[in-house]
Amino acid sequence: MLTAIIEQAILLLALGWLLTLNIRRGQHYPRLLILTSGLWFGVIAIVCMLMPFTVTPGVLLDARNTVLFVAGLFGGPFSGGMALAMAGGFRLWLGGEGATPGLFNLALALALGLGMRHALRRGWARLELWHLLPVVVLLHLTTVALISWLLSPAERALLQPLIGPFLLVMVPLTLMLVFILKDAEQRRREQLALRANESRLRAITGALPDLLFVMNEEGRCLEVAASDPGLLFADGPVIGKRVDDLFAPELAGRFLDFIRQTLRQKTVNTLVYELETRSGPRTFECRGQALDGRLGGKPAVVLLSRDISARVRHETELRIAAVAFESFQGMLVTDAQNRILRVNRAFTEITGYSPDEVIGRTPNLFSSGKHGPEFYRQMWQSIERQGHWQGEIHNKRKSGHLYPQWLSISAVKDAKGRVSHYVAAISDITERKRDAEKINHLAFYDALTGLPNRRLLAERIKQAQAVSSRGGKLGALIFIDLDNFKDINDLWGLQVGDQLLQQAAQRLNKVVRETDTVARLGGDEFVVLLGDLAEEPTLAAARLEQIGHKLLEVLEQPYVHEAHVLRGSACLGLVTLDDHRQSADELLQQAELAMYEAKAAGKGRLRFFDPVMQEAIARRLRLEEEILRGLEARQFCVYFQPQFDERQKMVGAEALVRWRHPECGVLAPGAFIEVADAAGLMDRIDRIVLLRACEQMALWARLPALSGVTVSVNISAAQLYQDSFIDDVLQVLAQTGADPARLKLELTESMLITDMPRATERMRTLKQHGIRFAIDDFGTGYSSLHYLQQLPLDQLKIDQSFVRALPDDANSLGIIRAIIAMAGSLGLEVIAEGVENQAQRDLLQQNGCHLYQGYLFARPAPAEEIAAMMPLHEAEPSPSRRPEEPEEVEPSA
C-alpha cells in the first residue's frame, strides 16, 4: 500500500508540473489552454487508476478524486467535464463491483471542486489553507466512506488501518497540488496583466508625440521608442550606441552632463536642444527622470524628448509680432464691433492720443469730415470681400489738425471663418507728400532758375500744338543761347554765372505773356514757347521776329555784379509750330539748328529755321545708321598700300579701312570716318582693321616674297587710352599667329599730347613684345624733340602735305630736310607718304629719305592684288606708272 500511495503522490506532483507547464505554454491561446488542461487532468486520473491500491477485487483506492477536484477548481466545467468523461469511461472499462460507486465518487469530487470554484468567485471563500482544508478532508473522507460502504465487514477491518495513512498523504498532496496550481494561475494572470500593461504602455508611448529612450550613466542608449521615425536622431540601430556616436561633440557633452545631473539630484530635469533629424532640423525639450533600479548593473535615466519646434516657431512669431506691433508704424487693434482694444506707442506719437483715451472707443474719433459716406462704404466693402483695404485718408489729430495718412486695415478671422478682430496700420505721410511735391518740382522745373525744364516744356509744346490745331493760331519756339557765358564763368566763377542765369530768366519772363512759357534746358540755353501769334504764317513770323528782337534787347542790357558791370548778348533760333505732326524734340532740334546759324553770323543775332539744315542733320543720322548696319553685315574690310625702298622693293604696307557699301561701292575713310567718330563707332572699326591686318600678315609670312613685309596699322586716340588696349593687341596677335616684330602701330602727334606719360608707358609695354611704332603725319602737329626723345619710336612718316608741294616749294623742302636730319640724329627711319611723281621721289632720295608710299608706286588695294603684283615690282626697277599721270590723293585711316 505504501508503494501505491507514493506512486499516487508522484503522479499528483507530476500533474502539478504538467499543468504549470501547460499554463505557461498555452497562456497565449486561452481556448486551447482549456482543452489541453482537461486532457491532462483526464490522463493523470487514468494513470492514477492504473496504479491503485486494491482493497478488494473491483474496489480501488487512488488519487483520482484529487485530480477531479482540482480539475473542477482550476479547469472549470469544460476542463473538469472532459477529465470526468475520460476517467469515468476508463473506470467503466475496468469494471468490478465498485465501478458505479467509483463514477459517483468521481462526479462528487468534480462537484466539490466546481462548488469551491463558485464560492471563490462569489467571494464566499478564499483560496487559503483554512478554507481549503475542510473541503479537502471532506473530499477524501467521502471517498473512504464510499469504499467502506462497498466492503464486507471483514474487508472493512482490513481497510481501517489504511485510512489514517491515506488521509495523511492525500490531504497534504491535494493541498500542495492546489497551491502549486494557484501559484501557476497567479503567475499566468500576472503575466497577462503585465502583457496588458506593456501593450497599454506601448499604445500610450506610440500615441505620444515624443521620443522616449533610456540611457545609463555612461550615455549609452539601452531602449528607445518613437511614434514618428522622423524624430530619431541617427540612421541605423540606436540601441547600444553612446551619445558620442549619436550627437555632435558639443551636444553629446551637454547630454552626458544632463544625465549625470539627473542621476545625482534624483529629480526631474529639463534640457532644450536642437537636432538635425531625418525629417529636418527640429527643436526638442528633453525631460529626464532617474530609474529606481539599475539596468545592466549601472544607474540609468528615462528621457522623454518632445518636439517643440512648432511651439518655438510660434513663440518666435509672437516675439516678432510683438516687435512688429511696436514698430515705427502706428498700430491699433479693434474687436469685431470696431471697438479699439490696443494701440502702440507710434500710434500715440502720430495721433497725440494716449491708450487710455482711445481704448473702448471706435476709430470714428479720428474722422476728419473730409470723406463722405460713399468713401467709407467702399472701404468696408473691400474689407468684407478681400479681407483688407489700404489707401490714403485724411484724419484728425488730438490737437484738431488734419493730416494725410496711409491706412491699411486687415480683418482677422477665427477658426470658423468669422471676423474676430481688425488690425490697422497708420503712417503719417505729410512729409512724404511734401517730398513728392519737391520731387515733382525737381522733375519738371529747373532748380537754379525755377523755370520749367525740358520735360515740362515738351508737355507744354504738345498742349500748344493741340490748341493751335483747334484754334488755328500758330505758336512758335525761340531757342536762346547766351554769348560768352563760358568766359564769364571762367573769369568770375560759377556763383556769378548762376546769378547771371537767374537775372536772364527774370528778364525773359518779363517780356513774354503769362500764357507763354520760358524754360531752361541746361547751361546757358533757354527756350521760349509762344502761343496764339497769328493765323497767317507770314504774320506769325513777323510777330515772332518782333518778340525775338525784344528778347535780344533785354538780354543785351548790362548785368551788375558788385561793383562790376557785365555785358552780354545772345543768339536766337526761331521756328513756328506750323506742322502739328512734328514732335517736341524735332521742333527743339530745328530751333537749335537755327540758333547755331545765328551764332555763325556773330553775336546778338537771330535766325529762322532753314529746312536745309534739317536735311543735313538727317543725312548725317542716316549715314550713322548705315555704318551700324555695315558693321553688323561685315561690310568693312581692309585695303593695303605698299611701301617701297629706293630699290623698288616692297618692304611694308599700310592697312587702310574701306567700306564695301552695297549701293555706293567701295568707300574711302573720308566718306564715313567723321560720322563714325562722332557716333562712337571708331572703336569697333579700329578692332576690325587690327584683326584683318594681323590675319593678312600671318598669311603673307608663308610667302617667300612677302615674308619680310611689315604692316602698319593706324591707332586712334580712343584705342590708345582704353584700359584694355594692350591686352586687345596681344590677344589679336596670339589669335592670328602674326609676328609682333612685323606689326607697326602708327600714332598721330595730336593724340600724344593728351596724356604723354600714359601713352609712353603703353608703348614701352608693347615694345617689349617686339611691336614697332611710327609717328604718322609728322610735322603737322606738336613736333617736339622732347617727346621724340621719350617715346619708343621706330619711324617718322613725313606728311603728304609737304611731299605734295615738292619740288617747287622751298619751305616744304626745308621742313623735310629738318625731319630727315632729326630722324637721323635719333636713329629713326623716315618714310614719305603721298609720293605721286618721280621728281618727288628723286628729291626725297637725294635728301636722305629712302622709304616711300604713294600713288607713284601703288594705290591701296585688296591683299590678293598686292600679292599678285609682287613679282612685277621685283622684276621691274621702274615705278608702276608714269609720273605725269594725275592721281587723286587717298585719305588714310
Side-chain angles (χ1 to χ4, degrees):
M1 175 183 175
L2 180 61
T3 303
I5 291 174
I6 294 173
E7 290 175 348
Q8 297 290 323
I10 293 172
L11 284 174
L12 292 178
L13 292 176
L15 174 62
W17 178 79
L18 287 172
L19 290 176
T20 303
L21 180 63
N22 184 57
I23 290 172
R24 189 165 61 249
R25 295 291 178 86
Q27 61 184 345
H28 299 295
Y29 310 98
R31 295 182 179 180
L32 182 62
L33 179 63
I34 295 174
L35 182 64
T36 55
S37 296
L39 178 64
W40 282 117
F41 280 123
V43 170
I44 296 299
I46 292 172
V47 174
C48 287
M49 286 186 286
L50 289 175
M51 295 182 297
F53 170 67
T54 305
V55 178
T56 60
V59 180
L60 306 176
L61 185 63
D62 52 48
R64 79 186 91 162
N65 289 351
T66 299
V67 175
L68 267 297
F69 173 75
V70 174
L73 179 61
F74 289 99
F78 186 84
S79 294
M82 184 176 176
L84 177 62
M86 293 175 63
F90 185 76
R91 182 66 187 88
L92 289 175
W93 180 77
L94 289 176
E97 296 179 1
T100 301
L103 288 176
F104 176 76
N105 202 6
L106 288 171
L108 180 62
L110 178 62
L112 285 173
L114 292 173
M116 188 64 185
R117 179 187 180 92
H118 182 70
L120 291 173
R121 291 194 171 185
R122 290 285 184 170
W124 300 337
R126 292 192 300 274
L127 205 60
E128 295 179 354
L129 177 62
W130 304 114
H131 287 223
L132 284 171
L133 183 59
V135 179
V136 173
V137 170
L138 177 62
L139 170 67
H140 290 296
L141 286 176
T142 303
T143 301
V144 172
L146 184 60
I147 292 174
S148 297
W149 177 69
L150 294 174
L151 297 176
S152 62
E155 292 172 336
R156 288 192 191 99
L158 296 173
L159 178 63
Q160 288 179 355
L162 301 176
I163 294 174
F166 179 75
L167 293 175
L168 288 174
V169 173
M170 285 302 167
V171 170
L173 282 175
T174 302
L175 292 173
M176 186 181 300
L177 179 60
V178 169
F179 285 114
I180 290 173
L181 294 180
K182 173 188 175 182
D183 181 66
E185 181 67 18
Q186 185 174 351
R187 287 179 59 192
R188 185 181 73 85
R189 291 177 179 174
E190 289 175 352
Q191 288 178 353
L192 289 175
L194 181 61
R195 283 200 300 273
N197 289 336
E198 289 178 352
S199 177
R200 185 164 58 254
L201 182 60
R202 282 195 298 270
I204 293 173
T205 304
L208 289 174
D210 300 324
L211 174 68
L212 184 146
F213 48 101
V214 180
M215 287 189 172
N216 62 17
E217 62 180 353
E218 296 178 348
R220 190 176 301 279
C221 186
L222 306 178
E223 296 180 21
V224 65
S227 59
D228 179 9
L231 297 178
L232 293 176
F233 41 80
D235 293 327
V238 175
I239 296 177
K241 291 185 177 180
R242 290 172 51 87
V243 290
D244 298 337
D245 303 323
L246 302 175
F247 305 129
E250 181 182 357
L251 183 56
R254 290 179 60 198
F255 248 96
L256 199 56
D257 293 341
F258 174 67
I259 292 170
R260 291 171 180 172
Q261 180 184 358
T262 302
L263 290 172
R264 184 172 58 255
Q265 296 178 352
K266 301 295 183 181
T267 57
V268 178
N269 291 317
T270 303
L271 172 69
V272 177
Y273 62 95
E274 294 182 355
L275 199 63
E276 186 70 31
T277 67
R278 295 174 184 173
S279 56
R282 301 283 187 92
T283 302
F284 293 90
E285 181 182 67
C286 181
R287 298 175 67 85
Q289 172 68 55
L291 290 175
D292 293 336
R294 291 173 174 259
L295 291 180
K298 297 179 180 179
V301 295
V302 175
L303 303 174
L304 191 66
S305 288
R306 171 159 295 182
D307 183 2
I308 61 170
S309 303
R311 190 183 81 190
V312 170
R313 284 195 300 270
H314 181 64
E315 292 173 351
T316 302
E317 290 172 357
L318 288 178
R319 289 195 299 271
I320 293 173
V323 173
F325 189 79
E326 289 299 338
S327 65
F328 295 105
Q329 205 173 25
M331 304 287 293
L332 73 154
V333 180
T334 73
D335 59 14
Q337 287 71 42
N338 216 21
R339 289 188 297 267
I340 298 174
L341 304 176
R342 185 180 177 187
V343 297
N344 66 354
R345 187 183 308 166
F347 173 88
T348 300
E349 294 174 354
I350 293 172
T351 66
Y353 287 97
S354 67
D356 294 337
E357 292 173 319
V358 297
I359 290 177
R361 305 183 68 176
T362 66
N364 292 335
L365 175 66
F366 318 121
S367 177
S368 65
K370 295 189 66 174
H371 305 285
E374 181 63 20
F375 174 85
Y376 291 104
R377 187 182 65 82
Q378 293 179 359
M379 180 179 75
W380 284 107
Q381 283 182 351
S382 175
I383 295 173
E384 291 173 2
R385 288 196 306 265
Q386 304 175 11
H388 61 85
W389 178 88
Q390 65 175 351
E392 184 178 331
I393 188 172
H394 284 80
N395 271 337
K396 182 174 61 177
R397 305 185 202 270
K398 181 180 178 181
S399 62
H401 291 94
L402 304 185
Y403 69 103
Q405 178 189 97
W406 186 262
L407 173 64
S408 299
I409 303 176
S410 298
V412 180
K413 297 183 179 180
D414 58 19
K416 297 182 179 179
R418 297 175 300 191
V419 174
S420 61
H421 298 82
Y422 294 102
V423 178
I426 64 173
S427 300
D428 184 354
I429 58 174
T430 304
E431 290 299 324
R432 187 191 306 174
K433 291 182 72 67
R434 289 175 184 167
D435 292 340
E437 292 174 359
K438 292 179 181 177
I439 293 172
N440 182 69
H441 189 273
L442 291 174
F444 291 98
Y445 291 89
D446 176 53
L448 177 63
T449 62
L451 297 177
N453 61 10
R454 180 184 288 270
R455 179 181 298 178
L456 182 56
L457 175 64
E459 292 295 327
R460 293 190 177 177
I461 290 175
K462 293 179 183 177
Q463 296 173 7
Q465 287 178 312
V467 171
S468 175
S469 177
R470 292 193 300 267
K473 289 188 177 182
L474 298 177
L477 282 179
I478 301 177
F479 197 104
I480 304 170
D481 185 87
L482 302 182
D483 295 326
N484 300 328
F485 178 73
K486 183 178 181 302
D487 296 336
I488 294 174
N489 259 343
D490 294 341
L491 181 61
W492 298 99
L494 296 177
Q495 184 176 1
V496 175
D498 290 344
Q499 292 176 2
L500 188 147
L501 292 174
Q502 291 170 345
Q503 293 181 39
Q506 294 170 3
R507 294 180 185 183
L508 293 174
N509 269 324
K510 289 179 180 179
V511 173
V512 301
R513 298 165 296 180
E514 291 184 359
T515 56
D516 299 327
T517 298
V518 178
R520 180 182 177 224
L521 302 187
D524 58 346
E525 295 178 342
F526 296 86
V527 172
V528 176
L529 171 62
L530 303 172
D532 296 335
L533 292 178
E535 294 182 3
E536 177 65 31
T538 55
L539 181 58
R543 294 191 62 181
L544 176 60
E545 184 177 11
Q546 183 181 5
I547 296 172
H549 284 296
K550 287 183 179 180
L551 293 176
L552 288 177
E553 289 178 8
V554 299
L555 293 175
E556 289 175 355
Q557 294 175 6
Y559 298 91
V560 178
H561 169 62
E562 295 179 352
H564 303 282
V565 176
L566 306 178
R567 296 191 177 276
S569 61
C571 288
L572 279 58
L574 286 64
V575 62
T576 56
L577 307 183
D578 52 0
D579 187 354
H580 301 146
R581 295 171 299 177
Q582 290 181 306
S583 66
D585 288 339
E586 290 174 334
L587 292 169
L588 287 172
Q589 186 181 47
Q590 291 174 357
E592 185 177 13
L593 289 173
M595 181 274 295
Y596 282 122
E597 281 292 312
K599 281 275 188 186
K603 298 177 183 180
R605 305 296 179 90
L606 61 81
R607 289 287 186 275
F608 280 87
F609 170 69
D610 183 358
V612 176
M613 295 185 290
Q614 182 67 33
E615 179 58 30
I617 295 297
R619 284 197 303 270
R620 187 182 187 93
L621 292 176
R622 285 196 299 270
L623 179 57
E624 182 178 328
E625 292 177 1
E626 290 180 0
I627 293 173
L628 279 170
R629 289 197 297 269
L631 287 170
E632 293 172 359
R634 308 186 116 188
Q635 296 172 359
F636 286 85
C637 62
V638 175
Y639 276 30
F640 295 90
Q641 185 172 25
Q643 297 171 339
F644 296 91
D645 62 11
E646 57 188 356
R647 297 188 302 276
Q648 304 295 324
K649 179 181 179 182
M650 179 177 170
V651 295
E654 181 178 2
L656 303 172
V657 67
R658 291 296 184 269
W659 182 7
R660 297 186 186 274
H661 196 281
E663 298 175 0
C664 304
V666 179
L667 298 179
F672 58 85
I673 283 294
E674 181 182 353
V675 175
D677 191 26
L681 301 175
M682 279 308 300
D683 179 55
R684 295 176 61 179
I685 295 175
D686 289 337
R687 288 174 182 268
I688 292 173
V689 173
L690 179 62
L691 178 62
R692 297 292 177 262
C694 290
E695 288 175 345
Q696 192 58 52
M697 187 166 57
L699 292 174
W700 282 346
R702 302 173 188 173
L703 304 176
L706 297 172
S707 60
V709 170
T710 62
V711 176
S712 300
V713 178
N714 290 282
I715 300 299
S716 67
Q719 259 185 304
L720 179 63
Y721 293 112
Q722 283 180 354
D723 294 336
S724 61
F725 171 65
I726 295 175
D727 292 335
D728 290 344
V729 173
L730 296 179
Q731 182 181 358
V732 169
L733 288 170
Q735 176 183 343
T736 59
D739 184 2
R742 299 297 176 188
L743 176 63
K744 187 186 299 179
L745 301 181
E746 294 190 1
L747 312 172
T748 60
E749 295 181 81
S750 58
M751 63 187 293
L752 297 174
I753 302 174
T754 306
D755 191 347
M756 180 70 71
R758 191 176 180 191
T760 303
E761 178 186 357
R762 293 179 170 228
M763 292 171 65
R764 292 188 186 279
T765 301
L766 291 175
K767 187 79 171 177
Q768 294 174 358
H769 293 273
I771 298 172
R772 303 172 67 192
F773 288 92
I775 293 294
D776 192 17
D777 301 336
F778 188 77
T780 60
Y782 193 44
S783 301
S784 169
L785 286 176
H786 178 65
Y787 85 74
L788 289 179
Q789 290 176 331
Q790 287 184 328
L791 297 175
L793 296 173
D794 298 280
Q795 188 182 74
L796 298 181
K797 179 176 281 191
I798 301 173
D799 186 68
Q800 60 184 344
S801 62
F802 303 123
V803 177
R804 190 180 298 119
L806 297 179
D808 301 324
D809 190 348
N811 290 331
S812 295
L813 180 59
I815 293 173
I816 291 174
R817 289 173 176 171
I819 292 173
I820 295 172
M822 184 188 307
S825 63
L826 295 174
L828 302 177
E829 291 180 350
V830 178
I831 183 172
E833 63 177 350
V835 180
E836 299 178 354
N837 54 63
Q838 190 65 34
Q840 293 171 347
R841 184 261 187 192
D842 293 340
L843 191 57
L844 288 168
Q845 182 178 5
Q846 293 170 7
N847 286 276
C849 178
H850 306 293
L851 299 175
Y852 318 101
Q853 174 183 340
Y855 286 1
L856 173 65
F857 302 94
R859 290 176 175 270
E864 299 80 7
E865 296 183 16
I866 300 299
M869 64 183 290
M870 277 304 297
L872 177 64
H873 274 283
E874 289 185 351
E876 297 180 7
S878 60
S880 61
R881 62 184 301 275
R882 293 189 301 273
E884 61 274 11
E885 292 180 359
E887 71 176 11
E888 179 185 354
V889 177
E890 189 91 22
S892 62

